[in-house]
Each structure stands twice: as structure tokens, then as C-alpha cells.
Amino acid sequence: MAGKLSSSRTVTLTVGGMSCASCVAKIEHTLKAVDGVTEATVNLATGKAYVTYQGDFTHENTIAEKVRDIGYPVDVLAPKADAVPAPAKEESLMPIAFLSLILTLPIFFIHDPLMQLLLATPVQFWCGKQLYLRAWSALTRRSADMNTLIVMGTSAAFGYSLMTMIAPRLLPGISEIIYYDTSASIITLVLMGQFLEQRARGKASDAIRALMSVQAKTARLINSSGKEEEVFVDEVQVGNLVLVRPGEKIPVDGVVTEGYSSVDESMMTGEAIPREKQVGDIVRGGTIVQTGRLTLRATEVGEGTLLAKMIHMVEEAQGSKPPIAAIADRVAAVFVPTVLVTAAVAFVAWWPINPAFALFTAVAVLVVACPCAIGLATPISVITGIGRSAELGVMVKNGAVLQQTAGVNIVVFDKTGTLTLGRPSVTDVIVMNESERDVLFYAASAEQYSEHPLAQAILKAATAEGISPVSPTAFEAGVGRGVMAVVSGKEVLVGTAQWFQEEKIDIQGFEAQALQLSTDGETVVFVAVDRLCIGIISIADSIREDAATTVSALHQMGLKTALLTGDKWQVAMVVARRIGIDNVIAEVLPREKADKIRALQREGHRVAMVGDGINDAPALAQADVGIAVGTGASIAIEAAGITLLGERKHAVVTAVALARGTLRNIKQNLFFAFIYNVILIPVAAGVFYPITGLLMSPIFAAAAMGLSSVSVVGNALRLRRFQTPAGPVVVSPAKSTLPRRHQPPSSPGLFLF
């Protein structure tokens, strides 16, 4: 097999029995030790393991068996390329938790030890059965986890109480106080905490379930005879004609072949305003037709649809770890053993003074420790943050990209198709003695047979004004000059100033306006009828409506902005000035774009690059964070860490702001989890008791332990309410803050393009 390239595959495992960060560390260590496994990530919040392996060396069933060998039940989901994985199933804790609560409450009001024993026993061994089973499973694999701590603590309290009832004389010097209320309360509070945590964790995955819910179940095919036939969506094949009626979900990706409608794409792009769709437009599965019928030809079905890819991408990203998670991983590896040692030291230290007090402190230490909060601190924030970003039309590749995005300090934009529409359009019509409609009529009629982009812009402008061009009786096009045609018996010329001068047509009345428009980066064409210049038409690649607000919002967030383009300096400077971009890097060849990004990085910048074309792919890959526009080339999307669905560039603001918010949320969770343990474990051990008289009840310890996990999850769920910040429209002159080599020549000259 030497020299043969192994096939890399990815499998998702659903793992049961995980309760804390120690479980995650144990499973990850086991998976990474399997021959052929190149990467393994275990997510406590989703209950899943994501494993990348070489198919020539191992098999997914072998990998799963290794996890079963250490005591965790495992199910193998199909590889991600083959099926959409469903959310992990959770055990229902509500009935057990509430039964435990009902049995525990009377213990506080009953003073008969026998009655307390009768109530506490089912709580300890029936309601707490899963805790014992998981603790035993950990013991059999020579490890310890949160369940170990809880079982040891409650069993000690229960056993101590039972001994004081049965044989108090066998343990001289031991207090006869019983702790059935303590053991039962701890079990109840742990179960209630796990129940609340489970519900909260379920809410964190609402985004992916929402994406799954928009998938259509059936499709209405149009067969070769033109008849309609309703079939299951997985029966649709590429090339089939599909009819979608108002109010129905589009079942597959396709191209409209007949009809006109507005389509609600909010679930996929985050855009509330429906998009108009007509013949030739692309539509996506899962979106909803609102008005009018559409007939489309299927181009992508099943796992090839954008919606299916989104689901895969979101789930994969939610299961990933940002680099900051390494902190929690390192702590988790030693946490439980450290807690066990601390409890033993507290017990031994206090025993000579007061055996009951020794037991009291040891139980409190075991119970108050919360590795669960540490294990959830990072993944629950990642799940919620990436899920919310998907709802807003921002697809993040993984947790590492999320953390990198939070750290960028400059956003570099490609121009054409990113900040501009990528197609020329008429911006102004300037006349003297004729009307604007007359100028557009003659120009559009003369350009009727031309396929030049500028001609198409003129025709589109005329149509928008309700002008109906007529077919010319003669037509001649000159490359780089313009067109000459006979329209309604009159000779019409539409072209450049240089051509008009060669033809001895006087343009003096329009030269000043033409020079100003050209200076602003617009293309100017002259229109003459019977050798008399009647007006000029300016054409430019229109700036997107949200470009200025996007840049303004980024500035408000403290970020620098730059324009990276192959266009002329003059054109780039005009666009930058209108939008408010700080810096301009122009006249860059496609192969040089990545070098320019690299130069910014050498200067200490952490760069996010936004682009949509094939020539942007190297720059997107070189940037610290590549942000691809979802309507762009697929190679650009593959090279990027973030994909913006739809055409709203303000989603760049969403990506950065949400990444910052998620990273801040992770840091808060880690702080809560660590400071909780750092402060409360010494208190539970009685360290401060001789000085302050401060001591922690095991019951309070159990409540605090449960609340720590719930508070971490609750803090993460705040990300579900995230809204994109909206910056005011502030268009300021472009600033020259980059080194001189990024600046335009001192005399750019006049460019007509």
C-alpha cells in the first residue's frame, strides 16, 4: 500500500453518557489514539463526536467500538456527504426530577429517622440510578467524572446517616446527626439542574432544527406529457421540471423556466423582503413562493441543494472547537482527580477535630465541584453563535474561523460584484436643447443590435423610462469607437469623444460635464443626430445600496477598511470616496491580490477579505478570514471561512459583530466556570472557617453546582437575541493611511473605460 493516497472520510457518532468535560477529554483521547484517525472533536453540548479518518487504515465501526470499550454507548450516523444528520436525542429527565423533588420535600418536615430513610432511599437509588450507572461506567474504564463526585458525596452522606441509625456505638465520637435531607436534596438538585440544562441546550440547537424544518417533503413534477404528478422530494432528479404554487415551498434548487413570483428567502438569507423571481433566475430549495406560479428546472437535488449544504455546514461548525477551548480541555484533564484529592485532604484534616465536620466538608467539596460548567462553557456558545449567524444569512465554517473573525482589525473589499453590482448602468443623461427621453430613444434604437455591455445598459435605462426603441434601418459598429445607425430616417451616432472629434462633430457644449463625469470614474458616451451632438449619457458600475452603511458600521466598530481591485486608480478612488473606504489598493493583477493581503499581514494587520470572483480565491485563502459572497463563484466560497448568503454586504457587519459577541460570551462562560470552582471549592473544604466562620452546606453546594451549569448555558443563549448593528450613513472622504506604496500615482490622468 506504500505510496497510495488514503481516502479521508468523516463520520459523526452520537455518544451517550457524557456528563462533563472529563468525559469529553477521555473520549477525544481514545479516538485520537485509533490508527488512521487524523482528527477527533467531541461536543458535550450536542452529544456528538466528529471523527476524520483514513479509510485505508480503519473503519467507522472500529472507531465506534473503541468508544464503547471505554463505557459509552455509541450510534454511528452516515458520513456527512451522504445524509443530513438529525439532532442528538436526549433522555427525558423531567418525570424523574419531579418525582425526586416530591419525595425529598417531606424529609425536611419529618423528624422520624425511619420515615426519612424510607423517603430518601428511592431518591438515592432509583431516581439517582443513572448517576450510579454512569459513575460505575467511569470506574470500569479507570476514570472519574462529575457522576463520580456526586455519587461519592451522596453515598457518604446516606451511608453515614444509616450507620448512625443502625450502630451508633460502633463509631464512638461521631455525631448522631443524620443527613438524609442532604443526600436526597443533592440528588434532586442535580437532576433538576440537569433537566433545566438539557432544555436550555435544546434551545441552542433551534437554528439547525429550523433549517431542517423548511425542507419540502413532496414536489409537483411536470412529466413529458405536461401533466402534474406529486412525488416525494427525494424522487426528483436533475433536469426534471417542477411546478410550485403560491404558498408552497420550493423543493429543490433550480432555474425558473416559466412564471413570475416573489419568493421568501428569509430562512436562508436573513433578508425579510421577498425577492422577485422571473425566467432565468436561480431559486433555492426551502424558500417559499408567495405570489404567482413558478415552473423550474431542477439543477441540484437531495444533498446537492444549498439548504442541505447549509445544514451540514452549520452542524459541522457547531461541533468544532475554537482555539480558546484548549484552556478548558487542559483544565478538564486534571479537574476531577484534583477535586478527589482536595476532598480527601479536607476529610483527613478535619477528622481529628470533628469527624462529622470532616464528612460535611468532604461531601461539600465533592458536590460543589462542577466540571460540567467548564465543559459547556465553549461549545454551548459556539452552537448558539453559529446557529444565530446562520439565521441571519452568515455561514461560518468552524469555531476557529469564529475566533479569528473576532480578532480582525481591517476588512478588505473586492470592488466589482462586491461593493458594486458588477454590471454597468446609466447614472445620468445630460442634454441641452433636446429632452432626456429623446436622447435615450435615439441611443437605445441605435444600440438595438449591439451586444456591448454599455449598449445593454442604455437599452435597460430606456425600458425603465417606458421608452420603446425602434429597429434601425442601417447599423454599423466600430470597435472601441461606438455605433452608427439610421433611426426613423435620421443618422445617429453613439460613441466616444475621440470618435466624434474624428467625425468633426462639435462636442464643446458637453466637454466640461464629460470631463467631470470621467474624473468621477464614469464612462461617457456622446449621442449625435444628423451630425449634431444632442446629449451625453454617463454609465458606471453602480454602487450597492448598502455599501456605505456597511463601511460606516465597520468604522463604528473600530475597524479599518480597504479597497483591493484591478481597476484603474481613478475609478477605485471614486468608489472609495463615495462609500467612505479608508484605503485604496488598485491596478492589482489577480495573481497579486494574495501578495497584497500578505503585505498587510506583515504590517501587523489581521485581515478579513471580502470577495466573490474566481480571481479572489487566493486572497480569500491568504487572509486571516476569507468572506465569500454567496452569489459568487463556488471556488471563492470554498476558499473562504465565511459565506454570506444573499446579496446584502451588511452581513459582513453581522459576521464580525456576532463573532466578537460569541468570543466575549465564551470568555464570560469560562470566567464564570473557573471563578466558581476557584472560590467555592476552598469554601466547601472549610479553608476559611477558622478565620471567618464561613462554611458551605452540601445542600447549598448542590444547588450552586446545578446553577453554575444553568447560568453558563443561559448566558450563551443570550446570543439568540443578537441583532446586527446598524451604522448611520456617513460618507467621508477617503483617507490615505496605508504606506505610500499602496497609494495611486501622483498624476493618475483621465481614464475612459
Side-chain angles (χ1 to χ4, degrees):
M1 196 177 292
K4 183 179 179 181
L5 182 65
S6 298
S7 56
S8 181
R9 302 175 185 174
T10 300
V11 67
T12 303
L13 310 176
T14 56
V15 184
M18 292 194 296
S19 58
C20 66
S22 299
C23 301
V24 172
K26 181 73 173 179
I27 297 169
E28 282 190 350
H29 177 76
T30 300
L31 289 170
K32 290 176 180 178
V34 178
D35 288 340
V37 171
T38 57
E39 185 178 352
T41 302
V42 179
N43 193 308
L44 176 62
T46 60
K48 293 182 182 178
Y50 308 91
V51 186
T52 302
Y53 64 98
Q54 300 299 324
D56 293 342
F57 292 96
T58 189
H59 188 269
E60 58 195 42
N61 291 333
T62 303
I63 296 170
E65 197 59 39
K66 293 291 185 182
V67 180
R68 294 190 188 103
D69 288 344
I70 60 171
Y72 294 94
V74 176
D75 287 324
V76 179
L77 294 180
K80 294 187 180 185
D82 298 333
V84 177
K89 294 182 179 179
E90 291 279 2
E91 174 192 2
S92 177
L93 290 170
M94 184 173 68
I96 298 174
F98 278 93
L99 175 61
S100 183
L101 178 64
I102 291 170
L103 292 172
T104 299
L105 286 176
I107 297 177
F108 289 92
F109 304 101
I110 297 174
H111 300 292
D112 181 0
L114 182 59
M115 288 299 297
Q116 288 185 336
L117 173 63
L118 292 176
L119 290 169
T121 299
V123 173
Q124 185 74 32
F125 300 107
W126 193 83
C127 296
K129 178 177 64 174
Q130 286 300 319
L131 301 176
Y132 275 91
L133 292 175
R134 291 172 181 172
W136 175 254
S137 177
L139 180 63
T140 59
R141 58 180 181 264
R142 298 179 182 179
S143 65
D145 57 19
M146 185 192 75
N147 300 291
T148 307
L149 302 179
I150 299 302
V151 165
M152 288 182 66
T154 57
S155 297
F158 186 90
Y160 177 92
S161 302
L162 188 61
M163 286 298 294
T164 59
M165 286 179 60
I166 297 174
R169 297 182 182 276
L170 296 178
L171 300 171
I174 292 182
S175 169
E176 295 186 7
I177 299 174
I178 58 176
Y179 293 105
Y180 291 127
D181 56 348
T182 299
S183 63
S185 296
I186 291 172
I187 294 289
T188 299
L189 289 169
V190 168
L191 293 175
M192 292 297 294
Q194 289 181 351
F195 164 63
L196 294 174
E197 175 194 320
Q198 183 186 94
R199 290 192 62 184
R201 282 161 61 177
K203 291 182 180 179
S205 298
D206 281 351
I208 194 167
R209 282 195 289 272
L211 286 173
M212 289 178 175
S213 69
V214 303
Q215 292 175 306
K217 302 297 187 294
T218 60
R220 189 173 286 104
L221 292 184
I222 300 177
N223 58 31
S224 56
S225 61
K227 294 183 179 180
E228 299 176 18
E229 178 186 3
E230 189 168 5
V231 300
F232 288 109
V233 71
D234 56 7
E235 297 179 47
V236 181
Q237 298 180 0
V238 173
N240 285 164
L241 288 178
V242 180
L243 174 67
V244 189
R245 296 172 177 171
E248 294 180 344
K249 295 176 182 177
I250 296 175
V252 294
D253 291 358
V255 177
V256 177
T257 60
E258 184 180 337
Y260 179 89
S261 175
S262 59
V263 177
D264 180 1
E265 298 181 335
S266 57
M267 175 54 71
M268 301 185 69
T269 66
E271 298 181 23
I273 300 175
R275 301 291 301 274
E276 301 299 316
K277 299 292 182 180
Q278 56 188 349
V279 174
D281 287 343
I282 295 173
V283 291
R284 301 294 187 181
T287 58
I288 302 173
V289 172
Q290 291 193 325
T291 58
R293 294 157 49 115
L294 289 180
T295 300
L296 58 101
R297 187 175 300 279
T299 56
E300 296 287 350
V301 299
E303 300 310 306
T305 64
L306 178 61
L307 178 59
K309 292 177 181 177
M310 283 175 60
I311 294 170
H312 288 320
M313 189 174 183
V314 171
E315 197 205 33
E316 186 174 76
Q318 287 182 336
S320 65
K321 290 184 179 181
I324 195 174
I327 299 173
D329 291 343
R330 287 194 293 268
V331 172
V334 297
F335 184 83
V336 174
T338 301
V339 171
L340 291 172
V341 170
T342 303
V345 170
F347 183 81
V348 171
W350 286 108
W351 179 267
I353 301 171
N354 187 326
F357 191 82
L359 176 67
F360 192 86
T361 55
V363 171
V365 169
L366 291 172
V367 172
V368 79
C370 192
C372 191
I374 295 174
L376 285 171
T378 299
I380 200 69
S381 295
V382 171
I383 288 173
T384 310
I386 287 178
R388 180 57 181 153
S389 70
E391 292 174 344
L392 296 173
V394 178
M395 309 303 295
V396 182
K397 187 169 286 185
N398 54 50
V401 169
L402 201 68
Q403 183 169 339
Q404 290 163 350
T405 305
V408 301
N409 58 14
I410 184 170
V411 180
V412 179
F413 290 92
D414 171 52
K415 182 181 78 69
T416 306
T418 301
L419 293 176
T420 65
L421 294 174
R423 55 182 181 271
S425 60
V426 172
T427 59
D428 208 351
V429 179
I430 297 175
V431 299
M432 284 189 180
N433 300 320
E434 303 288 336
S435 68
E436 293 182 10
R437 291 182 62 87
D438 286 342
V439 172
L440 279 175
F441 167 76
Y442 284 115
S445 298
E447 298 279 16
Q448 189 112 312
Y449 296 144
S450 174
E451 296 180 355
H452 195 281
L454 299 184
Q456 297 303 310
I458 293 172
L459 286 165
K460 186 175 180 179
T463 302
E465 292 295 324
I467 298 171
S468 301
V470 298
S471 298
T473 54
F475 175 82
E476 181 180 340
V479 178
R481 305 171 75 187
V483 300
M484 181 173 62
V486 176
V487 177
S488 300
K490 298 180 180 181
E491 182 187 61
V492 178
L493 276 72
V494 183
T496 65
Q498 182 179 355
W499 185 37
F500 272 48
Q501 290 168 350
E502 292 173 0
E503 292 290 328
K504 310 297 185 195
I505 298 176
D506 184 11
I507 61 172
Q508 286 187 356
F510 296 97
E511 281 185 320
Q513 296 99 321
L515 179 61
Q516 182 60 53
L517 290 168
S518 298
T519 302
D520 288 342
E522 301 193 19
T523 298
V524 178
V525 296
F526 292 76
V527 181
V529 177
D530 289 339
R531 318 293 292 181
L532 175 66
C533 186
I534 63 172
I536 58 176
I537 300 174
S538 62
I539 302 171
D541 185 1
S542 299
I543 295 173
R544 292 184 182 273
E545 292 181 1
D546 59 351
T549 56
T550 297
V551 171
S552 177
L554 291 173
H555 288 163
Q556 295 244 332
M557 295 164 64
L559 294 168
K560 294 287 186 182
T561 54
L563 180 62
L564 178 62
T565 178
D567 262 346
K568 307 287 187 184
W569 275 105
Q570 185 174 1
V571 175
M573 292 295 286
V574 169
V575 172
R577 184 175 67 249
R578 290 180 178 175
I579 296 174
I581 291 227
D582 297 319
N583 313 295
V584 175
I585 310 171
E587 298 184 12
V588 180
L589 295 175
R591 65 176 181 273
E592 297 173 340
K593 286 190 174 183
D595 294 334
K596 297 298 183 182
I597 296 296
R598 196 176 293 111
L600 289 173
Q601 291 169 326
R602 284 197 296 265
E603 293 165 11
H605 292 290
R606 295 183 298 278
V607 184
M609 169 72 190
V610 186
D612 72 332
I614 292 175
N615 62 349
D616 296 324
L620 291 170
Q622 174 61 41
D624 297 276
V625 179
I627 303 177
V629 180
T631 53
S634 59
I635 188 173
I637 295 173
E638 287 294 325
I642 294 176
T643 301
L644 309 180
L645 301 178
E647 297 185 359
R648 295 186 310 163
K649 301 306 168 291
H650 203 70
V652 174
V653 179
T654 300
V656 177
L658 189 49
R660 287 181 173 183
T662 303
L663 187 64
R664 185 166 55 247
N665 194 275
I666 290 172
K667 291 178 179 178
Q668 291 167 351
N669 282 348
L670 288 172
F671 175 79
F672 291 154
F674 288 146
I675 202 69
Y676 163 88
N677 286 288
V678 167
I679 293 176
L680 293 189
I681 289 178
V683 172
V687 171
F688 303 110
Y689 181 73
I691 303 172
T692 64
L694 183 64
L695 192 64
M696 180 182 293
S697 162
I699 296 176
F700 176 80
M705 184 272 294
L707 288 174
S708 67
S709 296
V710 174
S711 65
V712 163
V713 177
N715 183 56
L717 291 181
R718 293 190 303 113
L719 291 169
R720 296 179 68 208
R721 300 193 298 270
F722 172 87
Q723 296 295 329
T724 303
V729 181
V730 179
V731 181
S732 57
K735 303 172 185 177
S736 299
T737 59
L738 289 183
R740 175 165 293 277
R741 65 176 176 275
H742 295 299
Q743 302 306 320
S746 57
S747 178
L750 179 65
F751 293 96
L752 294 177
F753 61 98

